[in-house]
Amino acid sequence: MMFLASLRTRWAGLLGAFVAVALGVALIAAMGLGLASTFSAPEREPVRFAASPVVVMGQKTLTVPVRRGPDTGHVTKLLAHPQPVDIELLRELRRLGPVQLDGAKRDAVGVNAPIEDVREVVREAVGAARAGVRVQVLTGDDRRLADPEPGRDAEALVAVNSFLGTAGGVSAFVSVFVTASTFAFVVALRRREFGLLRMAGATPGQVRRMLLAEALAVGVAASGVGCVLGAWGAPVLARALVDAEIAPEWFGVGGAVWPFHLAFWVGVSVAFTGAWIASRRAGRIGPVEALRDASVDTGVMPWSRRIVGGVLLAVGVGMLGWTVGTDPSALLKRKTYTTQPMILIIALAALTPLLVRPALRAVRLPGAVGLLVRENSAASVRRTAAVAAPVLVTVALAGSLLGSAETVGEARAAEARGRMGAELVVTGDDLGPLGPLEPLGPLGSLRPLGPLGKAGPLEKTGLLEKVGGVDGVAVAASSGSTAVFVREEGTALIRSDARAVSDASAFASVSRLPVVAGDVRDLDDRSIVVNEEWERRRVGERVDVWLGDGRPARLRIVAVLARGTGDSGAYVTAANAGAGARVDRIDVGLREGAAAGAEREVAAGALRARVGGGDGGGGDGGDGGGGDDGDVRVWSAEEWLADTHPATKPQTRLGLMVLLGIALVYTVISLAGTLLMTTSVRGPELRSLRMAGATWGQVRLVIAGEALLAVAVGTALGLAVTLLNLGTLSAGLARLSAPAGVAVPWGMVGVAAGVCAVVGAGVGVAGVMGLRRR
């Protein structure tokens, strides 16, 4: 058959497409196997109450009615602080048998008693309460629900799922791009061949079918090889994710079959689709093309391609502008800044042949070799665009993805620095109860300790007194993490991370919150501080919320914070923190004379000695009178900020590096394939140069110069996409009242461009050396 003979003859030209499809299929298969393993977390053995056959657990979820169109439905959210088991119920359970408590926590208790007896006692207690309070009785493997963070495995798999899904999407995008570009360039190089076939009587349909048959053969063979590589690479990928702390330690790939089916048919479809686009152009080639021998490319941009490229460019720019104008916070999400650049990349790649010649005309290269490089590149627009397009993809992805992550990370870090008014920070896993609450009356009803209208006091652990008694300390403000829930528009239950403070005035003196209205110091047990994202956000307005332990409350807004990068949560008092809330941070403000330099170090040392805390560098704690506070750490503000608000999280950076590595590998494949194809058909042209007096060294300089110039054009277009994306992100940050700098990852962009330049020049020169030996 003719297409088999063509494959034997043209195998070198299709090698790039074969490798690209095989690599894409391997990646999709490996990532599909990984995704299949993320759909369910393994069953874990109970840990916290492993010795108790029965566990009684307080309410851990909040269920609220919402509107579902004309009907009413319910939404359930996990509480920040589970309800404690009622003291009366605990007393009844003790009568059944030994009861296991986890320290001071009473959100769950283990009971060594018959299950039916425990259920009967719980039923009677709940019935007597008549408050609709739910208390769960857990047995067997269900007891793990009472463990700390029972959903941590599922949450860890969400991050793995997101990473693998994004990586698979980028792999598919780049493989489609490279494959389509390769087949399009193959058609451009074979115009005379197709013209001869037409002259010999072949119909346009036969030409198209021959090209599609070649693509189908390449796709099937490459997909088969890719599935084998994917099966080998999936365990390697799983180990790499575990080592990088992206996946939990137990993560591994299973024996699912569907990823291989998906990867195989995606590979075949990618090859076939890429060739189908090119085959339509091949079918339009007429017999007269067999007589043409022009060195200048003409008709490289049909109007259909111009229209598609222009529409995509308008859509990409329009989406960026619309997002900035309507929802700038969306620009900070990884899903947004990962997908939006792809539209602009496709648009500029489609328009590259139109942009190449004007860009090259603006370049001035010295000497005769330089002039020849520029004119050859401008005359052979298809060849230059075929080299520049994959470079555009890599540089644009490197600049946009890594630049967006670093810009958002640095904005968040700068925002945190701007809000820090303390000189020292004391942290620990458990610095004591924040909002001490006691059960009162019916099961599950709670009331705050302390006078109404005043922030609930920190329980007498002595830690706050120790901090406040250190020489040089002017103010110490304790706070802890909690959450509040609000129903917006009657259709959604929104969880807002919040911070509960023991003394609003003290906290205001050691923080610089971005207040746009009201005063944080007015915060009391009847009020709340919200941010601009809330539906209700006017000072003096009342808002119905559910607290971290599920209690409903109607609170008055006393201050509104700027939206910022999303870290501006709500603020409540300790009394509204919720049962079980704990202090996790004490911000310490020093007196003016001890706030800087050596005096601050002296105060920090005295504080460590007083509370038994290690330094912020990760010490295990001192023994200077800390007693049970051995896990306490004392940080300088700078150390704490660096530890909790890094510019870019290591896992995020590593994940992006993997994506960029995938794109770079594809680019190298595309560059190598394109330059080998072009050099192999440029024999007559290069021999003409030799006949004109050029040495082989000068010929190699011309080929290398053309490759480097095309790489430079692709780099410039990639930087244009990068700057447009990062500029839009900066505008969005400015609208959010957040630090609006731009972090261009010049190092990574330089590495990507440098690798492309080395590969382009090296492969081009190697091709010339091959021609010389003929």
Side-chain angles (χ1 to χ4, degrees), residues 220-523:
V220 170
S223 296
V225 172
C227 286
V228 174
L229 292 175
W232 171 82
V236 178
L237 174 64
R239 287 195 298 271
L241 292 175
V242 172
D243 293 341
E245 298 182 354
I246 296 175
E249 294 182 357
W250 49 262
F251 181 73
V253 296
V257 177
W258 66 262
F260 294 106
H261 290 284
L262 174 66
F264 181 87
W265 291 112
V266 166
V268 173
S269 301
V270 164
F272 191 83
T273 304
W276 180 79
I277 297 172
S279 70
R280 294 178 59 83
R281 181 183 299 174
R284 291 194 294 266
I285 295 176
V288 72
E289 293 292 337
L291 305 177
R292 294 186 60 180
D293 191 21
S295 298
V296 179
D297 288 337
T298 58
V300 296
M301 279 290 288
W303 280 106
S304 59
R305 182 169 178 174
R306 298 184 187 207
I307 293 172
V308 170
V311 169
L312 287 175
L313 183 61
V315 169
V317 175
M319 286 181 62
L320 290 175
W322 175 264
T323 307
V324 170
T326 59
D327 186 15
S329 61
L331 294 171
L332 279 60
K333 300 176 182 177
R334 185 170 63 178
K335 183 181 295 186
T336 301
Y337 65 68
T338 299
T339 56
Q340 281 197 347
M342 294 181 183
I343 300 175
L344 294 174
I345 290 171
I346 296 173
L348 281 188
L351 297 174
T352 296
L354 193 66
L355 302 173
V356 162
R357 193 165 284 160
L360 293 175
R361 294 302 183 193
V363 176
R364 293 292 182 266
L365 299 176
V369 171
L371 178 63
L372 189 59
V373 166
R374 190 188 72 171
E375 295 304 319
N376 275 354
S377 300
S380 301
V381 171
R382 289 192 181 94
R383 181 178 69 230
T384 305
V387 174
V391 179
L392 157 66
V393 173
T394 301
V395 171
L397 287 176
S400 297
L401 298 189
L402 197 57
S404 295
E406 290 183 353
T407 297
V408 173
E410 289 185 4
R412 284 179 172 152
E415 191 175 60
R417 289 193 299 270
R419 296 180 182 185
M420 174 56 67
E423 285 76 35
L424 300 174
V425 179
V426 180
T427 63
D429 295 333
D430 185 2
L431 303 182
L434 177 63
L437 298 165
E438 63 177 7
L440 182 69
L443 175 66
S445 66
L446 303 167
R447 71 172 177 85
L449 297 179
L452 187 63
K454 186 177 180 181
L458 184 68
E459 193 171 274
K460 295 293 185 178
T461 61
L463 181 59
L464 195 60
E465 287 76 8
K466 291 179 182 179
V467 173
V470 172
D471 186 33
V473 172
V475 61
S478 60
S479 61
S481 298
T482 185
V484 293
F485 303 85
V486 61
R487 181 170 49 196
E488 295 194 349
E489 299 179 353
T491 60
L493 180 64
I494 307 298
R495 173 188 166 127
S496 177
D497 291 334
R499 195 132 200 103
V501 299
S502 294
D503 187 328
S505 297
F507 186 79
S509 67
V510 291
S511 62
R512 295 190 290 266
L513 297 180
V515 178
V516 296
D519 192 333
V520 175
R521 291 171 296 183
D522 294 335
L523 181 65

Side-chain angles (χ1 to χ4, degrees), residues 580-650:
R582 317 293 289 181
V583 175
D584 58 22
R585 194 176 95 210
I586 300 176
D587 293 321
V588 181
L590 301 179
R591 289 196 294 268
E592 185 175 352
E599 291 80 4
R600 185 173 68 169
E601 292 302 319
V602 171
L607 185 56
R608 292 187 184 105
R610 189 69 176 272
V611 302
D615 60 26
D620 294 329
D623 56 0
D628 293 336
D629 301 327
D631 62 341
V632 177
R633 291 182 181 174
V634 179
W635 311 69
S636 69
E638 295 79 9
E639 290 169 339
W640 182 80
L641 287 168
D643 184 74
T644 58
H645 294 81
T648 306
K649 294 182 179 179

Side-chain angles (χ1 to χ4, degrees), residues 20-29 31 163-181 262-263 265-267 269-271 273-274 342 346 393 397 659 662-663 666:
V21 173
L23 179 61
V25 169
L27 289 170
I28 293 173
M31 293 172 187
F163 169 78
L164 292 176
T166 303
V170 171
S171 300
F173 168 73
V174 182
S175 72
V176 169
F177 185 92
V178 169
T179 304
S181 299
L262 174 66
W265 291 112
V266 166
S269 301
V270 164
T273 304
M342 294 181 183
I346 296 173
V393 173
L397 287 176
L659 299 183
I662 292 171
Y666 273 116

